[in-house]
Each structure stands twice: as C-alpha cells, then as structure tokens.
Amino acid sequence: MGTTITAATIMAMYLNSTGNLNSQYCYNADVENGQVKTMYVYDKVGNSLSGKLEYRYEYDAEGRVTAKETLRRNASTGRMTPESRLTYTYSADGYTLERSLWNGKTKTYDRATERTEYRMETAGVMSVTAYELAEDGTPAAVTDNMLVMMPQDAGLMAEKTK
C-alpha cells in the first residue's frame, strides 16, 4: 500500500494551523466537497490582516492531491503572483513530487528541475530520494537520500490493551 497526500491531510493541516492563537498568521480556506481548494494566509499587522500567500490544490478522482500551487502577494501591485507548483504522481509503493518555478517573462511554469521520490520499502520504512533533473526530465544526479523509519504503532490514536 502506497502513501498518498489526500484531502483529509490538507484539511487536517488547515485545522491545525487555525487553532494557533499565538501565530503571526491567520488562515482561511475555500472548502468544496470536503476538499480544501484554496488556503489563504494573512499576516497580522496590528488589528488588521494583510494577504500574504494563497495555496491552490487540485485532486484526482481518488481524493489525492495532484498539485499545489503557491501564489505570493506582490507588495507593489497588491496582486497574488504565482511562485511555484508542486506536482504529485502516485504509484503502488509511494509518490513522486516535482517542483516547478513560475517564469514571469513567459507567464508559465518552467520545467521541473528537481524531483523527490517517496517509496514504502517495507512496513514502517520509507525511502526518500531527491534528484536533479536533466533537460529531458530524467534524473541526472541524486542530490539527497535517506530512510525514514516509524514505529509500527506510530499512527495509532489509541493505546493497545491486552
């Protein structure tokens, strides 16, 4: 069974972020059919809020996140300007994440120059490998890799009893 980033994951991140009263940021989200479509991030400036970031999410038919676009407020125009896009693709044993940057001259996202692959190797062990990508989109060099190990019961919400 592979790991996926789902609408529930995004919703949990949103709910956790809105509960922190000491944060310098405030959050709001457009939710449609149980999926966060856009999350807005505001700076607290005295008693006012100033728009800072927007995160826009896309999902597949299985409710998995397929894209996350980040837009940042341009201080001189006040408009939200695209900054980057994360694209997720899924396989039976994990997922791949590619990051593309916005090109203001062409008004499009440049091709991805980096990729990170997350693979479940065995129960409780995930490999994470980062690559620099060649012009044709194939991995040119490994830039980082690691194994992430979690205890078998790390995700349990209740304690086991005999």
Side-chain angles (χ1 to χ4, degrees), residues 1-2 18 50 57-59 71 110 120 124 146:
M1 180 172 149
T18 58
S50 175
Y57 298 92
E58 297 174 18
Y59 302 86
L71 294 88
D110 288 334
M120 290 303 298
M146 69 179 116

Side-chain angles (χ1 to χ4, degrees), residues 36-76:
V36 174
K37 296 296 186 176
T38 306
M39 187 179 306
Y40 304 93
V41 181
Y42 302 90
D43 271 324
K44 288 182 192 175
V45 182
N47 291 328
S48 300
L49 297 177
S50 175
K52 181 176 184 66
L53 296 168
E54 281 183 24
Y55 298 112
R56 296 179 183 170
Y57 298 92
E58 297 174 18
Y59 302 86
D60 64 14
E62 296 179 45
R64 301 176 299 189
V65 174
T66 57
K68 176 185 176 184
E69 183 179 24
T70 301
L71 294 88
R72 183 175 300 277
R73 183 178 174 270
N74 181 312
S76 60

Side-chain angles (χ1 to χ4, degrees), residues 50-109:
S50 175
K52 181 176 184 66
L53 296 168
E54 281 183 24
Y55 298 112
R56 296 179 183 170
Y57 298 92
E58 297 174 18
Y59 302 86
D60 64 14
E62 296 179 45
R64 301 176 299 189
V65 174
T66 57
K68 176 185 176 184
E69 183 179 24
T70 301
L71 294 88
R72 183 175 300 277
R73 183 178 174 270
N74 181 312
S76 60
T77 66
R79 293 184 181 167
M80 289 294 186
T81 304
E83 183 174 272
S84 64
R85 181 177 175 87
L86 300 176
T87 304
Y88 299 79
T89 54
Y90 297 90
S91 63
D93 62 347
Y95 64 98
T96 299
L97 176 63
E98 291 187 350
R99 182 170 183 255
S100 302
L101 297 176
W102 181 255
N103 184 323
K105 291 180 182 175
T106 63
K107 304 289 187 220
T108 60
Y109 285 101

Side-chain angles (χ1 to χ4, degrees), residues 16-27 41-44:
N16 286 336
S17 64
T18 58
N20 184 354
L21 299 177
N22 295 323
S23 175
Q24 77 177 57
Y25 305 111
C26 289
Y27 301 85
V41 181
Y42 302 90
D43 271 324
K44 288 182 192 175

